[in-house]
Amino acid sequence: MESKVEKYLCILQQKGYKSTNQREEILNILFDNKNEHLSCEDVHNIISKEKKDIGIATVYRTLQLFEKLGIVYKINFDDGVTRYELNTESENHHHHHLICTQCGKVTEVKLDLLESLEHEIEIEEGFVVSDHDVKFYGICKECKNKEK
């Protein structure tokens, strides 16, 4: 049976990088928390609970490599913390995020209505969109209900 991170380890090997225990451990953490937006420190804290031999610098360099190879996306929610998320999609398209300005909760929005806009931009402007990043700021349902 193929492990849950096997396809990501194959990407490493195809690009000429070694599949180390540390890289596999970081991939497992990202996969186990694929609905989260983990910072380097978050990943390191999870690793430290079980594997104290992986330093934060190793985690940071590994996440940078994974981003370079398209294994993870780097996400910035304008709070000074860089977060990472496993690229589980076959296309190079991001989902969007709703960010609560009161509690800081981040919710993913899978609906992507920007594909047609990108197509129109390509036709009208001759500009090929390779990526986009959309963040909506506001008040989440829970905080809104607390106000009532």
Side-chain angles (χ1 to χ4, degrees):
M1 186 171 132
E2 193 173 285
S3 82
K4 58 190 174 188
V5 298
E6 193 66 36
K7 81 173 190 176
Y8 302 105
L9 295 173
C10 287
I11 293 170
L12 279 170
Q13 292 170 344
Q14 289 169 356
K15 301 289 184 174
Y17 294 93
K18 291 182 182 179
S19 175
T20 65
N21 289 337
Q22 290 96 339
R23 290 175 179 164
E24 187 170 355
E25 182 65 30
I26 292 168
L27 279 170
N28 278 315
I29 288 168
L30 292 171
F31 193 88
D32 291 344
N33 296 278
K34 64 183 172 189
N35 294 326
E36 302 294 322
H37 305 91
L38 300 176
S39 69
C40 179
E41 291 79 13
D42 293 334
V43 173
H44 184 257
N45 288 338
I46 294 168
I47 286 175
S48 294
K49 290 177 183 173
E50 297 176 16
K51 310 247 183 219
K52 298 192 184 280
D53 60 337
I54 301 176
I56 195 161
T58 300
V59 174
Y60 179 74
R61 285 191 305 272
T62 301
L63 290 171
Q64 282 187 315
L65 173 63
F66 289 174
E67 183 200 6
K68 175 182 166 185
L69 299 177
I71 294 171
V72 298
Y73 294 122
K74 184 165 44 171
I75 303 171
N76 183 340
F77 294 132
D78 301 327
D79 62 356
V81 178
T82 299
R83 293 176 178 81
Y84 298 87
E85 161 176 82
L86 197 59
N87 178 2
T88 58
E89 301 177 66
S90 57
E91 295 181 26
N92 197 16
H93 250 308
H94 293 288
H95 47 264
H96 308 301
H97 298 95
L98 308 175
I99 303 166
C100 181
T101 55
Q102 288 188 348
C103 70
K105 177 181 172 184
V106 177
T107 307
E108 295 179 357
V109 178
K110 300 288 184 192
L111 183 64
D112 189 355
L113 299 175
L114 294 180
E115 289 180 18
S116 60
L117 178 60
E118 288 177 3
H119 182 69
E120 289 297 318
I121 290 170
E122 202 168 316
I123 291 171
E124 292 294 319
E125 302 294 329
F127 184 87
V128 179
V129 178
S130 60
D131 196 7
H132 65 264
D133 180 28
V134 177
K135 296 174 260 186
F136 297 94
Y137 296 91
I139 300 172
C140 71
K141 203 182 316 184
E142 289 82 13
C143 289
K144 186 176 174 187
N145 287 338
K146 286 178 188 174
E147 289 179 350
K148 290 182 179 180

